[in-house]
Amino acid sequence: MVENARSINIVASLILLVGIIYILGPLYLTLTTASHSYEFMLQNGLVWSPGDEFFVNIRRIFTETSIPRQMINSLIVALGDAIATCVLSFLSAYAIVYFRTRWAGVVFALILATVILPLDMRFVTTYQVASNVFSPINALLDATGLNDLIAALFGAPFHMEWSILNTHAGLVIPLLAHGMGTFLFRQFFLTLPRDLFKAARMDGAGPIRFLVDILLPLSRSTFASLFVLTFLSGWTQYLWPLVASSTADMQTAVVGLARLVPDEGAVPDYPLIMAGAILVSIVPLSMIALLQRYLVQGLILSEK
Amino acid sequence: MNAVDTAIHVAAKSIRLADVTKAYGKVNVIPSLDIEFRSGEFTVILGPSGCGKSTLLQMIAGLERVTNGKILFGGKEVQDLEPKQRGCAMVFQNYALYPHMTVAENMSYSLKVAGMTKPERQARVKIVAGMLGLGDYLDRKPGQLSGGQRQRVAIGRAIIREPGVLLFDEPLSNLDAQLRHDTRIELADLHRRIGATTVFVTHDQVEAMTLADRILILNKGQVEQFDTPKAIYHRPASVFVAKFIGSPPMNILPAQGDGSVLRLSDGQVVGEYGLKGDFQLGIRPENVVVEQGMSGGLAAPVRFREDLGSHSIISVDIAGTPVRIATPFGGVVPDYTRLAVTFPMKALHLFDGQTGKAIPEGFGVASKDGK
Ligand SMILES: Nc1ncnc2c1ncn2[C@@H]1O[C@H](COP(=O)(O)OP(=O)(O)OP(=O)(O)O)[C@@H](O)[C@H]1O
Ligand SMILES: [Mg+2]
């Protein structure tokens, strides 16, 4: 801070304090609510004082809901998203930065476009493709008239169907079409000395050796940053898992939590829901606590 | 020390570029080059920024492909080979050390890739580290070294494979003046000891003059002159070379010959000369003679003086062209606002008025370097 006056310090501290209350208040209320029984809540509403039913509620999550099974789904989705994003981004950034590829600029622009056009905006088309992976090919063959030809030759037009809805792959793959990781790695590669690649070639290392011996060890902390960021975003995805999974044992924990609210009528069992919410947040929270350094690094890098 | 030195043996190879051209898309960076670097020779490539020095070096290294023509190492065509198959090594301007590897790992990486066993690698690292005075730093990472030490690691990494051809791309330009001077002397010594055919790119003429057996002066991808430092200084082949070498560089003035005398553009007579036509007259600052009586000779109004202690540089105008005069060592020139100077005929260089090429039969120029 450039200014050092006392009054400014006090004002800044006050603003921070308000911010902290704003964030921690609801979290605290979550905790207290999770520690009362449903009956207590029906009588008293949401209260700020803690009760003694917390572990009972946690046990009910394990016995009465699909949340544990759904947390495993979440783990698969978040890990799959994080690992696949890391590998794909690393490789595509490598190709873009280190090879004089034709159209490299166009490819990179398209990759960046996925940042501007996230999944939420391409929802309907993504759903259509996920419900039949071959639909783009079918449509292309229909539009170009090739299918008429195929129908004339083979007796039937080319038309195949393969739905990945309600599978783990179907939950993960659409999340991968996101250019942020490629961008992150590209930015990192550009900070490395330009002649490193040439030096490795002079030393006799081909492109793969360079990738494994030089680039991979240097990229460790970028990997960690991207892994944390995509894991968290994978864990907290809501909209896509909601539509892409139709059965309770395929849904992710976040979707499962929302489903604990009854569709109509009865007052929701808030203590149970809050206990579930706490359970579901433990994974990302501990991740943030352990890998905070990389998270901050990743956020800074992705803003450059 | 000599006992370990003998452990690096290189088989130096000559390098020949036969009608080599290089174009990036439509940009013709090197129109056509046909030159030979002799086996074991230390050649310095000198030229302005963007003239294609790095491109040329990388074609020799195998990092860039030639568009046309051939490159021969010791008579063998190599233009289609990968760098590792050519047996050459390169030192880069920014060192390009592997940041995550120790000094020892950096130097021995090429040996590791080539499949040499660990004990053999360690033995070689020891020899090279000994030669370069890096023995105490083998376990450090490049980030923990000074610029000069990094430079040595880069050199060590290059010579450890005993390359027949050693390439340097402005390796000293990131060092401060003192370190650059010391490293220059070490490089000359190293070259004497290992004897690889060396091509060294720089745009520092002092490096070129002191290190080179021969200097190749490039301009827009073409050879201006390829000769010994002495010949380049005393018999520049063109105005470009004349202006490029020497500190301060050679003065160039337009002049006309009318068949009997040579005149400057304002009509003042420089001396007798038999040819007609437009010329460019060159004279080195140290060869301009200041007349004692401050009269006679050419009129030279003084613009400013720089006193360097051992001598002074006086900037004057002669026939409207800025001319710099270097006074002899310890020489004192009175603080006049106007001088009278003469150009001794045998110190004059004559270049064609249009092409800028030297006119060899100028004034018996050939005798000027004392031969
Ligand atoms: N990959 C490339 N694509 C297109 N043009 C290039 C490429 N590399 C170099 N050039 C062009 O080729 C010319 C020569 O470049 P080069 O790097 O060889 O110059 P240089 O003599 O080494 O200059 P400097 O002294 O600044 O290092 C420059 O005009 C440059 O713009
Ligand atoms: Mg260069």
Side-chain angles (χ1 to χ4, degrees):
Chain A
M1 215 158 84
V2 184
E3 305 286 342
N4 216 1
R6 222 179 128 76
S7 57
I8 292 190
N9 265 339
I10 293 170
V11 171
S13 304
L14 280 177
I15 293 175
L16 272 179
L17 197 69
V18 171
I20 288 171
I21 291 171
Y22 184 76
I23 291 168
L24 289 186
L27 283 181
Y28 177 76
L29 196 61
T30 306
L31 266 174
T32 54
T33 308
S35 62
H36 293 291
S37 66
Y38 184 47
E39 294 72 26
F40 180 85
M41 187 213 69
L42 285 179
Q43 286 160 16
N44 304 290
L46 304 181
V47 294
W48 287 94
S49 60
D52 52 6
E53 297 277 306
F54 181 69
F55 290 103
V56 177
N57 286 328
I58 293 286
R59 196 171 312 123
R60 285 181 58 213
I61 289 286
F62 279 91
T63 52
E64 294 172 23
T65 72
S66 311
I67 296 282
R69 158 82 222 180
Q70 288 165 339
M71 279 178 74
I72 299 204
N73 287 341
S74 287
L75 202 66
I76 292 171
V77 170
L79 274 181
D81 186 18
I83 292 171
T85 300
C86 281
V87 172
L88 288 176
S89 309
F90 181 67
L91 291 177
S92 55
Y94 178 51
I96 287 169
V97 175
Y98 286 99
F99 296 91
R100 231 178 277 152
T101 328
R102 230 175 239 255
W103 309 112
V106 177
V107 170
F108 185 59
L110 283 176
I111 288 175
L112 273 193
T114 63
V115 179
I116 309 164
L117 291 172
L119 185 54
D120 301 353
M121 288 180 70
R122 308 175 262 116
F123 218 74
V124 177
T125 29
T126 307
Y127 186 82
Q128 283 174 336
V129 174
S131 64
N132 179 11
V133 177
F134 290 108
S135 60
I137 300 176
N138 294 340
L140 204 68
L141 289 177
D142 283 340
T144 54
L146 273 175
N147 247 346
D148 298 338
L149 199 68
I150 293 172
L153 280 176
F154 299 99
F158 179 89
H159 196 84
M160 279 175 61
E161 280 203 34
W162 178 34
S163 167
I164 54 169
L165 287 176
N166 212 35
T167 64
H168 285 131
L171 289 179
V172 174
I173 291 171
L175 299 181
L176 300 182
H178 197 275
M180 208 260 296
T182 306
F183 186 63
L184 205 68
F185 274 113
R186 174 183 175 269
Q187 295 305 92
F188 171 69
F189 292 163
L190 292 180
T191 64
L192 294 174
R194 270 190 320 139
D195 289 334
L196 222 48
F197 188 64
K198 291 179 187 165
R201 264 185 86 188
M202 293 305 297
D203 276 348
I208 304 285
R209 266 216 99 133
F210 175 73
L211 189 78
V212 174
D213 284 356
I214 316 286
L215 221 44
L216 206 57
L218 287 175
S219 306
R220 263 203 305 242
S221 70
T222 310
F223 264 113
S225 305
L226 184 61
F227 185 88
V228 179
L229 283 176
T230 42
F231 184 92
L232 292 180
S233 104
W235 187 271
T236 53
Q237 280 294 327
Y238 177 67
L239 212 49
W240 178 249
L242 181 70
V243 294
S245 56
S246 42
T247 56
D249 62 357
M250 249 313 144
Q251 279 162 354
T252 58
V254 176
V255 175
L257 269 184
R259 285 287 164 94
L260 290 182
V261 181
D263 285 340
E264 54 196 73
V267 178
D269 188 346
Y270 282 122
L272 184 73
I273 296 174
M274 294 305 170
I278 288 165
L279 204 62
V280 171
S281 348
I282 282 178
V283 175
L285 276 181
S286 47
M287 187 121 189
I288 292 173
L290 288 176
L291 299 170
Q292 192 184 33
R293 186 163 69 91
Y294 296 113
L295 183 65
V296 173
Q297 211 170 18
L299 288 174
I300 292 171
L301 262 177
S302 62
E303 264 175 25
K304 270 185 198 163
Chain B
M1 195 169 180
N2 280 328
V4 286
D5 287 355
T6 52
I8 289 274
H9 301 288
V10 312
K13 291 183 221 151
S14 66
I15 307 167
R16 192 169 134 66
L17 306 179
D19 296 317
V20 165
T21 65
K22 176 71 188 178
Y24 288 111
K26 286 202 187 86
V27 188
N28 210 357
V29 179
I30 293 180
S32 179
L33 275 183
D34 201 289
I35 41 179
E36 174 156 6
F37 306 113
R38 296 179 199 129
S39 171
E41 193 177 41
F42 198 121
T43 306
V44 172
I45 302 180
L46 193 61
S49 193
C51 72
K53 304 182 296 289
S54 300
T55 306
L56 175 58
L57 207 64
Q58 297 192 11
M59 286 195 296
I60 298 174
L63 294 171
E64 285 284 353
R65 294 189 63 86
V66 297
T67 306
N68 266 312
K70 290 175 181 163
I71 298 177
L72 300 106
F73 281 12
K76 185 169 160 270
E77 281 187 31
V78 297
Q79 71 272 10
D80 296 322
L81 297 184
E82 273 292 298
K84 66 171 171 186
Q85 298 165 303
R86 298 190 185 194
C88 57
M90 186 156 172
V91 177
F92 296 88
Q93 176 173 5
N94 55 15
Y95 320 136
L97 298 175
Y98 311 124
H100 59 299
M101 295 187 188
T102 64
V103 168
E105 287 166 345
N106 260 286
M107 291 204 291
S108 61
Y109 182 63
S110 63
L111 305 180
K112 188 176 164 191
V113 173
M116 193 181 272
T117 64
K118 195 159 185 195
E120 275 181 290
R121 297 206 299 263
Q122 282 171 335
R124 287 280 274 279
V125 166
K126 226 172 137 188
I127 293 165
V128 173
M131 283 177 81
L132 295 166
L134 286 169
D136 297 337
Y137 306 106
L138 289 179
D139 293 326
R140 291 212 201 163
K141 298 266 173 74
Q144 300 163 309
L145 298 176
S146 72
Q149 289 162 344
R150 274 179 230 176
Q151 180 61 69
R152 281 157 205 253
V153 177
I155 294 172
R157 182 172 68 174
I159 63 176
I160 199 161
R161 281 206 304 160
E162 307 183 332
V165 171
L166 250 181
L167 308 168
F168 292 87
D169 194 354
E170 307 198 28
L172 308 184
S173 56
N174 287 348
L175 303 179
D176 65 43
Q178 180 61 41
L179 205 55
R180 196 184 297 193
H181 175 257
D182 295 346
T183 314
R184 208 164 66 216
I185 290 171
E186 278 172 36
L187 270 181
D189 185 45
L190 200 70
H191 174 68
R192 201 173 40 70
R193 286 192 288 171
I194 63 177
T197 309
T198 304
V199 184
F200 184 104
V201 164
T202 180
H203 50 232
D204 182 323
Q205 52 161 310
V206 180
E207 277 168 30
M209 295 300 281
T210 52
L211 283 171
D213 293 324
R214 287 196 297 162
I215 299 177
L216 172 66
I217 297 194
L218 273 190
N219 182 21
K220 296 185 187 133
Q222 281 173 315
V223 179
E224 281 291 331
Q225 192 167 3
F226 189 18
D227 215 330
T228 61
K230 209 172 176 184
I232 285 199
Y233 188 82
H234 292 289
R235 292 193 302 273
S238 63
V239 170
F240 180 85
V241 176
K243 280 180 163 173
F244 209 77
I245 297 287
S247 171
M250 188 183 283
N251 299 300
I252 304 288
L253 302 100
Q256 276 95 39
D258 61 5
S260 58
V261 292
L262 203 58
R263 290 176 191 277
L264 297 179
S265 52
D266 66 349
Q268 295 192 83
V269 175
V270 180
E272 294 184 359
Y273 188 61
L275 287 182
K276 276 190 182 167
D278 287 338
F279 300 104
Q280 298 190 65
L281 205 56
I283 184 154
R284 296 229 172 258
E286 62 270 27
N287 290 336
V288 179
V289 175
V290 178
E291 292 297 325
Q292 286 304 317
M294 302 305 150
S295 63
L298 304 163
V302 175
R303 292 165 67 223
F304 55 86
R305 321 168 48 117
E306 295 157 281
D307 198 349
L308 302 175
S310 63
H311 65 287
S312 308
I313 308 284
I314 306 172
S315 296
V316 299
D317 268 332
I318 297 177
T321 310
V323 168
R324 277 189 281 195
I325 305 169
T327 63
F329 182 79
V332 182
V333 172
D335 199 2
Y336 295 156
T337 56
R338 245 181 121 72
L339 297 177
V341 302
T342 49
F343 295 164
M345 289 308 269
K346 73 187 224 311
L348 281 180
H349 299 258
L350 209 58
F351 304 96
D352 188 281
Q354 268 78 48
T355 64
K357 295 287 173 217
I359 297 171
E361 63 277 15
F363 305 95
V365 172
S367 64
K368 273 205 298 283
D369 60 349
K371 280 183 202 156

